[in-house]
Every structure is written in structure tokens, then in C-alpha cells.
């Protein structure tokens, strides 16, 4: 192909040639930025949670007024849920992954430290929480039975025992103790008493996206048994094929526990559905940017043809 006639034509029509160059450069700049944003949003949507999402269902319960028997009713609820056919484990938690609210606190390495080393999310749960979530323990141990305390006791002004132990995520351990073994080390995150690190789990995503992608798994677990009035977050683990069956049975069981509590239907469902809804905005943005890229390429092509 002889390129000389093409160059000769472009030199005779400098304005048209300049417009083509500017159009192509502008399109490339916009598309490169759009592709970066698409990649960033897709990485956010696909980030691992560290939990057994395909086996989990959530039931949100909200009490009407105060309940003096909140602790006993929570234990009764859990016993009934664990007895349902198809249920592997069940627990009640203070917060749930893939929600917009989050419990967070600063973590220090010494009492004299003025600024926190990092901000981490706090998960509270009973002795079935780790098994229910399906998190992977990579170092240390789980909590001993005598280390669990009741939520009301931990919140009492007279409680002076401090937090007996904590389990942290791998990324949090690497940030707090780079290149060192975190087991047996202490942190300050609940009052002024040191908390020993007894275990490390691989991942546990924090709610609300606090801290961005870098801090997505800065989470820690305390051996504190919350009751349903704390947040009403019941989490149940079953097999993937029985999730809907177990979810419906769990809702019926909790509704039968009294008319002074309501089940929040909008906040009840599978964890996979929660994840899909939670990441709806970045997923929609990725699709929108992809459509913009295709439209821009089409417009640019038409423009080049017209100028040529």
C-alpha cells in the first residue's frame, strides 16, 4: 500500500487532519480512564469475603419496646433455629457483612499511643459464630468456653474484666505486626486493658466499605455473646440447595416467638442476595461506563469517516 498519497492529502487538508488527531486523542484519553474505573469497580465487586456465602441466610428481627428477657429469648431462638432440619449452625451477631452500618474502633499497640494504628471493624458472636461464618483459621486457636462473656456484662459500668481475647484477620495482623508472629501479642481496642491475640483468620470482610479496598478485611472478633436486641442479626448456615427452605422455616420460628417482635422482610434473605444488592451501584457504574466506551468509539469512527 502506497502511503504517500494519503500523507499528501493530509498535508493539503491540515484542519481536517488536526481534527482527526484531536478526536482520536480525546477518545483514547476518555476510554483509558473509563477502563480504569471499570477495572476498579469490578475488583470491588469480586473481592472475596472470607465467609461461606453460598451456605448462609440472614434473618433480621426487631423488638418493639424493651425486653427484660432479651438474653433468655435469644438463647431460646438459637436453640429453636439450630434444631431446624438442614441447619448446620446458627448464631446471633452485632453486625453483618454486606450491610451499610458498621461497628468500628481504633486499634493501638500500647496504652501510651496517641493515634490508632488502624481502624478495624468489631464482630461479636457466640461459640458457633466462627463455624457459622465459615471463616478459615490460619494461626492460633479459637476462643475457649470460659473466655465468652455476655454483651450486657461487657457494657456494664461495673465490669472491670476487660476483653479476654481477640481473633484478627491476616491483613490486620500484617499491618499491626509486620514480619512477626501475632499470636500472644496484645492490642488495645476495648477499654484500657490489653487484649491478647489468640487466633488469626484468613479473611472477614467488614461492612459498609469503611477504609476502602486496602482496609476491606481489617476485622476482629471478640468473644462477646450479643442478644437479639443489639441488632437482631440472626445468621444461619445450611447447604446451598436448602437455603430457601431453611430461611422460610427460620422466619416462621422467630415469628412464633411472640408478637412483640417483627421480622424485617426487606433485610431477610441469603447472603448472596445481600452481596448482589450491596454491590449494585459499582456494578451499574461498570455497565454504564462500558456503554459509554462503545458509544464513544462508534461516534469517533463516524467522525473520522466524515472528515476523511
Amino acid at each position: 500500500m502506497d502511503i504517500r498519497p494519503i500523507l499528501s492529502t493530509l498535508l493539503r487538508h491540515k484542519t481536517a487532519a488536526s481534527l482527526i488527531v484531536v478526536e482520536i486523542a480525546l477518545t483514547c484519553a476518555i476510554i483509558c480512564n473509563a477502563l480504569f474505573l471499570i477495572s476498579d469497580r469490578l475488583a470491588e465487586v469480586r473481592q472475596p469475603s472470607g465467609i461461606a456465602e453460598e451456605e448462609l441466610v440472614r434473618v433480621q428481627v426487631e423488638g418493639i419496646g424493651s425486653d427484660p428477657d432479651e438474653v433468655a429469648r435469644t438463647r431460646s431462638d438459637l436453640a429453636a433455629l439450630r434444631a431446624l432440619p438442614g441447619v448446620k449452625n446458627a448464631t446471633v451477631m452485632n453486625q453483618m457483612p454486606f450491610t451499610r452500618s458498621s461497628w468500628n474502633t481504633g486499634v493501638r499497640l500500647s496504652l501510651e499511643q496517641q493515634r490508632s494504628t488502624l481502624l478495624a471493624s468489631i464482630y461479636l458472636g457466640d461459640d458457633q459464630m466462627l463455624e457459622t461464618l465459615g471463616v478459615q483459621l490460619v494461626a492460633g486457636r479459637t476462643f475457649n468456653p470460659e473466655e465468652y462473656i455476655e454483651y450486657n456484662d461487657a457494657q456494664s459500668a461495673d465490669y472491670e474484666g476487660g476483653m479476654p481475647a481477640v481473633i484478627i484477620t491476616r491483613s490486620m495482623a500484617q499491618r499491626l505486626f509486620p514480619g512477626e508472629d501475632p499470636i500472644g501479642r496484645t492490642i488495645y481496642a476495648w477499654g484500657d486493658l490489653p487484649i491478647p491475640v489468640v487466633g488469626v483468620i484468613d479473611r472477614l470482610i467488614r461492612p459498609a466499605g469503611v477504609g476502602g479496598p486496602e482496609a476491606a478485611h481489617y476485622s476482629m472478633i471478640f468473644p462477646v455473646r450479643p442478644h437479639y436486641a443489639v441488632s437482631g442479626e440472626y445468621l444461619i448456615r445450611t447447604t446451598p440447595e436448602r437455603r430457601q427452605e431453611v430461611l422460610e422455616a427460620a422466619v416462621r420460628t422467630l415469628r412464633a416467638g411472640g408478637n412483640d417482635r417483627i421480622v424485617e422482610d426487606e433485610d431477610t434473605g441469603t447472603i448472596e442476595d445481600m452481596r448482589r444488592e450491596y454491590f449494585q451501584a459499582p456494578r451499574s457504574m461498570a455497565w454504564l461506563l462500558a456503554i459509554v466506551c462503545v458509544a464513544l468509539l462508534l461516534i469517533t469512527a463516524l467522525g473520522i469517516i466524515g472528515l476523511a
Side-chain angles (χ1 to χ4, degrees):
M1 178 181 178
D2 192 357
I3 199 172
R4 187 174 300 174
I6 298 176
L7 294 177
S8 176
T9 302
L10 291 175
L11 289 174
R12 289 198 306 270
H13 300 83
K14 295 180 181 180
T15 301
S18 299
L19 289 175
I20 290 175
V21 171
V22 170
E23 187 175 11
I24 293 175
L26 184 61
T27 299
C28 288
I30 294 175
I31 289 179
C32 286
N33 280 280
L35 290 176
F36 173 80
L37 292 174
I38 290 172
S39 175
D40 187 60
R41 295 301 182 270
L42 291 179
E44 179 184 355
V45 170
R46 294 170 179 170
Q47 64 179 321
S49 64
I51 64 176
E53 298 177 32
E54 70 282 356
E55 299 180 13
L56 297 174
V57 297
R58 167 211 192 191
V59 182
Q60 174 80 38
V61 176
E62 183 175 349
I64 302 175
S66 59
D67 186 354
D69 298 323
E70 54 197 12
V71 175
R73 292 185 72 179
T74 301
R75 292 176 180 172
S76 177
D77 290 340
L78 289 174
L81 292 173
R82 290 165 182 169
L84 293 175
V87 172
K88 296 181 180 179
N89 306 97
T91 189
V92 61
M93 298 167 55
N94 63 311
Q95 63 178 1
M96 200 71 63
F98 307 123
T99 57
R100 299 299 176 185
S101 61
S102 179
W103 292 38
N104 299 278
T105 188
V107 178
R108 297 173 294 161
L109 297 177
S110 67
L111 192 59
E112 296 76 21
Q113 186 175 339
Q114 296 298 317
R115 295 186 61 183
S116 300
T117 304
L118 56 82
L119 188 70
S121 189
I122 301 173
Y123 282 92
L124 310 178
D126 63 7
D127 53 353
Q128 286 201 18
M129 176 184 172
L130 296 176
E131 291 80 4
T132 304
L133 285 171
V135 293
Q136 181 183 359
L137 189 72
V138 295
R141 61 172 176 85
T142 58
F143 299 121
N144 294 325
E146 66 273 10
E147 291 174 331
Y148 285 94
I149 57 179
E150 298 295 333
Y151 176 81
N152 289 346
D153 294 337
Q155 292 293 99
S156 172
D158 300 328
Y159 182 73
E160 299 178 352
M163 194 59 58
V166 64
I167 294 176
I168 63 177
T169 57
R170 190 201 300 266
S171 61
M172 185 173 166
Q174 291 171 347
R175 173 71 185 279
L176 292 173
F177 312 106
E180 302 177 18
D181 184 3
I183 305 301
R185 302 293 296 271
T186 59
I187 62 173
Y188 291 82
W190 188 297
D192 295 331
L193 295 177
I195 308 171
V197 178
V198 300
V200 177
I201 57 176
D202 187 22
R203 293 185 179 95
L204 178 55
I205 196 167
R206 62 196 301 183
V210 179
E214 181 182 354
H217 294 281
Y218 286 175
S219 301
M220 52 187 174
I221 302 173
F222 289 139
V224 178
R225 297 188 184 97
H227 48 76
Y228 82 89
V230 174
S231 64
E233 301 280 7
Y234 284 99
L235 187 66
I236 306 165
R237 186 174 183 180
T238 181
T239 54
E241 65 273 8
R242 301 192 68 173
R243 284 179 298 178
Q244 192 59 38
E245 170 195 344
V246 168
L247 180 61
E248 294 173 358
V251 170
R252 288 195 301 268
T253 299
L254 293 174
R255 280 177 174 162
N259 56 8
D260 58 339
R261 300 186 304 177
I262 59 174
V263 175
E264 298 284 353
D265 293 330
E266 292 184 357
D267 297 324
T268 295
T270 67
I271 295 298
E272 284 188 340
D273 290 339
M274 289 176 58
R275 181 188 182 107
R276 193 176 301 109
E277 182 179 353
Y278 182 77
F279 288 117
Q280 181 62 43
R283 189 183 297 108
S284 298
M285 178 175 288
W287 276 108
L288 179 61
L289 290 173
I291 294 172
V292 169
C293 288
V294 172
L296 189 58
L297 286 173
L298 179 61
I299 293 171
T300 301
L302 294 174
I304 292 173
I305 293 172
L307 288 172

